[in-house]
């Protein structure tokens, strides 16, 4: 797979991941965390706001891998 093709598929995967992750996070936040205390809400949104970076970094690393 060429680098250009890998970047194209990686971009599609990255955008799809962010949309899916945001939808799941919002659903959990609205259903569960909305009734929790302020500290629980802050921790939930802080943690979920940072966790998406790990898979995104792996996707980007895969996109930048040299072909061959």
């Amino acid at each position: 797979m060429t680098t250009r093709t890998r970047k194209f598929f990686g971009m599609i995967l990255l955008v799809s991941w962010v949309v899916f992750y945001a939808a799941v996070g919002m659903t959990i936040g609205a259903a569960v965390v909305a009734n929790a205390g302020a500290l629980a809400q802050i921790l939930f949104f802080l943690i979920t706001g940072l966790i998406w970076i790990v898979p995104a970094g792996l996707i980007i690393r895969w996109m930048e891998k040299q072909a061959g």
Side-chain angles (χ1 to χ4, degrees):
M1 181 179 297
T2 66
T3 304
R4 186 173 178 167
T5 305
R6 187 181 315 239
K7 286 184 179 184
F8 175 73
F9 286 118
M11 182 262 318
I12 291 172
L13 183 62
L14 190 58
V15 170
S16 300
W17 164 249
V18 170
V19 169
F20 171 77
Y21 185 79
V24 170
M26 287 186 299
T27 302
I28 293 171
V32 178
V33 182
N35 299 327
L39 181 60
Q41 289 180 1
I42 290 170
L43 288 174
F44 173 78
F45 288 112
L46 179 70
I47 291 169
T48 55
L50 294 173
I51 287 179
W52 71 273
I53 296 171
V54 175
L58 294 173
I59 293 170
I60 292 169
R61 185 178 297 166
W62 175 80
M63 289 167 54
E64 294 298 322
K65 210 164 68 170
Q66 294 296 321

